[in-house]
Amino acid sequence: MKILVCVKRVLDPQVKARVKADGSGVDLANAKMTMNPFDENALEESLRLREAGTVDEIIVVSVGGGKTDETLRHGLAMGADRAIQVVTDEALEPLAIAKVLKSIVDKEAPGLVLAGKQAIDDDSNQTAQMLAALLGWSQSTFISDLKVDADTATTIREVDAGLETIRVKLPAVISVDLRLNEPRYVKLPDVMKAKRKPMDKIELDSLGLDTANRMTTIEVIAPEARAAGVIVNSVSELVDKLRNEAKVI
Amino acid sequence: MSNLAQKNLVVVEHDNNEVAIATLNAVTAAQQIGGDIDLLIAGENCAAVAEAAAKIAGVASVKVADNAIFGHHLAENLASLIVDCAAGYSHVLAAATTFGKNVMPRASALLDKAQISEIVEVKSPDTFVRPIYAGNALATVQSSDSIKMITVRTIKFEAAAAEGGSATIEAISSGSDSGLSSWVSQAVSNNDQVDLTSAKIVISGGRGMQSGDNFHMLHSLADKLGAAVGASRAAVDSGFVPNEFQVGQTGKVIAPDLYIAVGISGAIQHLAGMKESKVIVAINNDSEAPIFQVADYGLVADLFEAVPELDAALSN
């Protein structure tokens, strides 16, 4: 089976986002960027499926300009076989990304598409579900366990009430949560090897899709900071503050 | 735009018996958008849900699709139903729970509409505020779509009154089984604790708890305070507690009156789930832990001494 893994280049999760003074967005100039953590879990799972003999080819795909190819190289170093970059400098909305990914799926015909459940920059949590919709495929979201059989996949979903197991027909689009696995570290020889792996670059315009944004960002601001707190010296002082100052117990 | 132009459809979350509280928060968001509010219920043997939903204040009509194919809220069947029902509505909303997050993007794409995820404020019928970057930035966005597809971050909208309305109930026969997916089972942890998302007081444990057994200290404290117990991702990943306890960017986003973080360092991803709490207490033996930066009251102490002491103090 061929598998497609969708990845996004995002601000490193350890870095706190800083809003630009003019309110136009988050300042990413010189910021440390990385593969979206959930997407790393998706890629790791595809590697394990290949190691188990279920998958024979892994394609990583990303949509973006700038140094998106660096993120794809990281995916190749982790172990993907080849990469596809759909090149655009526009910041596309999830619906547009889903349309782009559909065109890649139409061309590559994978048996399974994996993606992170959300990107940690815009926190939309939409693209996988939208891609499944546009393809008319089954979906399973926020999964922490995956078993792939001949024509179905059995997934455990992390839902608000606990864990839900659903079985989906293949081909399917599946979005993954962090507890699915622990992504492997990339070793230097893998980085060297990744440089020789194929990477296709496709210009967004060449796909002939309507990817116009439906939303205008009016402004991006920092949330109100919490007022500085106090350090209490003892449990009894804490209880006193909670009872008599904050009045919450 | 005048309010007369708006017509809202809220997708009801339920377990075939009761309306989820999160839906009441979504109804409030719809009230702020303005215009009529209808509800859509898809379920199996869910008449009780329809009757309860019809009593929610401010609701005009309740559409009910009672069919075995909707029994487990599979996204494929439910999204198609939403698409069938969306015509004539300016806004379709659901709470940003795992239920809403699963189905709404699928319905949105089928309608060729963008989705506005996890709104925290309604500025006008087409302009909304939503958090990005784990809540470290707030984006105000204006939608040009003819139908606004919206998920609602529940903590920023008070629950609508569950009583006082008298909506009409209309059965709809729409819907067919996609055959694409099937429900197998659901594991709900066997606990009778207070609901984490609606609790007034939450006590969460982190990696510092060292084991699942040690969470009994937090449960004891929670019993005394009528509180729910939560956890950081680190505690869940370490297997101390099941995932439904998790508070944070990848877990539940909550805003209780009092949040007590015990042995939690305070990673950005955890803060994203609790920093809207009214009062935050941090108990941690590392005075440099980032959790102290958001805490109203910080106690630098060994939790294994401080928590039993707190427990004893509250028994008095």
Side-chain angles (χ1 to χ4, degrees):
Chain A
M1 183 194 290
K2 192 195 273 190
I3 191 165
L4 189 74
V5 182
C6 311
V7 303
K8 185 176 185 184
R9 183 176 176 82
V10 297
L11 182 66
D12 187 284
Q14 303 307 321
V15 177
K16 190 174 174 190
R18 305 228 173 266
V19 171
K20 288 188 207 169
D22 65 1
S24 64
V26 166
D27 190 1
L28 298 177
N30 306 317
K32 187 180 175 206
M33 303 293 281
T34 183
M35 182 184 287
N36 182 43
F38 297 96
D39 302 344
E40 273 200 325
N41 294 99
L43 180 51
E44 174 63 35
E45 197 66 14
S46 74
L47 299 172
R48 293 180 189 197
L49 287 169
R50 190 178 59 192
E51 285 156 9
T54 312
V55 161
D56 43 38
E57 187 182 20
I58 301 167
I59 307 165
V60 276
V61 58
S62 192
V63 183
K67 293 179 178 167
T68 297
D69 54 349
E70 269 183 13
T71 301
L72 287 167
R73 283 286 168 214
H74 172 72
L76 294 172
M78 277 183 72
D81 296 298
R82 60 190 174 92
I84 300 171
Q85 179 186 2
V86 179
V87 183
T88 175
D89 287 326
E90 296 289 316
L92 301 185
E93 291 168 1
L95 179 62
I97 299 282
K99 290 178 184 179
V100 172
L101 293 173
K102 178 182 184 292
S103 76
I104 303 297
V105 169
D106 288 344
K107 190 165 152 242
E108 297 287 348
L112 183 62
V113 176
L114 293 182
K117 74 165 183 177
Q118 73 191 68
I120 60 164
D121 49 6
D122 71 359
D123 286 332
S124 284
N125 193 333
Q126 299 175 10
T127 305
Q129 298 90 314
M130 287 183 157
L131 176 59
L134 297 178
L135 290 164
W137 289 8
S138 61
Q139 74 178 55
S140 186
T141 50
F142 332 139
I143 69 152
S144 60
D145 190 72
L146 173 65
K147 286 192 178 59
V148 179
D149 299 315
D151 49 11
T152 62
T154 305
T155 60
I156 299 179
R157 304 182 57 229
E158 299 207 335
V159 295
D160 292 331
L163 300 171
E164 179 188 61
T165 303
I166 67 167
R167 192 170 293 127
V168 294
K169 257 191 193 159
L170 298 179
V173 181
I174 294 176
S175 86
V176 315
D177 215 321
L178 296 172
R179 262 178 303 286
L180 179 60
N181 55 45
E182 185 76 36
R184 65 198 61 191
Y185 285 102
V186 169
K187 300 187 193 80
L188 188 60
D190 299 327
V191 175
M192 304 309 289
K193 219 158 62 182
K195 289 181 179 164
R196 296 190 299 273
K197 289 184 179 177
M199 185 177 324
D200 284 343
K201 297 204 178 199
I202 302 170
E203 289 297 325
L204 175 67
D205 292 344
S206 73
L207 296 174
L209 299 167
D210 168 19
T211 55
N213 282 345
R214 312 296 181 80
M215 276 182 275
T216 311
T217 299
I218 312 270
E219 68 167 355
V220 175
I221 58 167
E224 220 170 291
R226 290 186 74 94
V230 295
I231 294 290
V232 294
N233 294 309
S234 66
V235 167
S236 56
E237 188 186 347
L238 175 64
V239 171
D240 176 62
K241 295 269 191 198
L242 293 177
R243 277 196 178 130
N244 303 316
E245 190 175 90
K247 297 186 170 49
V248 283
I249 59 171
Chain B
M1 269 209 288
S2 83
N3 282 356
L4 295 172
Q6 273 82 246
K7 202 170 175 203
N8 300 277
L9 181 67
V10 178
V11 183
V12 174
E13 177 173 353
H14 63 90
D15 59 1
N16 294 312
N17 291 308
E18 288 179 37
V19 176
I21 293 171
T23 295
L24 301 177
N25 305 104
V27 167
T28 298
Q31 286 167 349
Q32 293 181 8
I33 289 165
D36 282 351
I37 300 172
D38 295 344
L39 303 183
L40 174 62
I41 297 170
E44 181 182 13
N45 298 327
C46 57
V49 179
E51 278 165 33
K55 292 183 186 141
I56 298 172
V59 172
S61 91
V62 177
K63 298 170 190 289
V64 187
D66 197 329
N67 186 324
I69 63 167
F70 299 124
H72 296 291
H73 316 298
L74 292 167
E76 296 85 352
N77 295 343
L78 183 52
S80 296
L81 178 71
I82 293 171
V83 169
D84 290 345
C85 295
Y89 289 97
S90 60
H91 296 74
V92 179
L93 303 96
T97 55
T98 50
F99 167 84
K101 291 173 179 176
N102 186 43
V103 71
M104 286 294 280
R106 189 173 181 106
S108 303
L110 292 173
L111 289 162
D112 192 33
K113 307 298 177 206
Q115 177 182 294
I116 311 153
S117 291
E118 303 218 21
I119 64 162
V120 295
E121 189 184 339
V122 176
K123 290 262 190 193
S124 77
D126 67 1
T127 305
F128 309 91
V129 182
R130 55 177 305 265
I132 55 176
Y133 288 90
N136 287 303
L138 294 169
T140 302
V141 296
Q142 184 170 30
S143 164
S144 62
D145 273 323
S146 56
I147 305 176
K148 275 77 172 157
M149 303 293 289
I150 293 169
T151 62
V152 176
R153 180 165 285 196
T154 55
I155 60 166
K156 300 303 271 187
F157 298 89
E158 295 283 329
E163 302 282 340
S166 55
T168 56
I169 297 177
E170 174 199 347
I172 51 175
S173 56
S174 181
S176 59
D177 188 3
S178 73
L180 290 173
S181 64
S182 56
W183 182 86
V184 178
S185 63
Q186 172 128 355
V188 178
S189 39
N190 185 19
N191 65 62
D192 49 6
Q193 77 151 340
V194 179
D195 176 47
L196 182 56
T197 47
S198 56
K200 296 279 182 215
I201 302 178
V202 173
I203 306 167
S204 283
R207 199 193 304 275
M209 295 302 296
Q210 296 183 7
S211 77
D213 284 347
N214 289 332
F215 267 74
H216 76 83
M217 295 193 301
L218 305 190
H219 284 289
S220 168
L221 204 52
D223 287 345
K224 293 199 171 62
L225 292 168
V229 173
S232 70
R233 185 192 151 206
V236 177
D237 282 355
S238 303
F240 300 169
V241 288
N243 82 293
E244 60 268 28
F245 281 65
Q246 191 186 175
V247 174
Q249 188 184 25
T250 65
K252 295 186 171 75
V253 177
I254 58 173
D257 292 342
L258 173 60
Y259 187 87
I260 305 178
V262 181
I264 291 176
S265 64
I268 294 172
Q269 291 75 16
H270 184 72
L271 301 185
M274 45 63 76
K275 69 179 180 184
E276 305 275 336
S277 304
K278 288 196 183 76
V279 175
I280 297 173
V281 170
I283 301 174
N284 200 304
N285 60 4
D286 174 10
S287 62
E288 301 294 313
I291 190 75
F292 287 116
Q293 290 165 20
V294 299
D296 299 284
Y297 303 108
L299 178 62
V300 182
D302 181 348
L303 72 91
F304 294 100
E305 290 170 14
V307 173
E309 204 183 325
L310 184 56
D311 195 289
L314 293 172
S315 305
N316 295 332

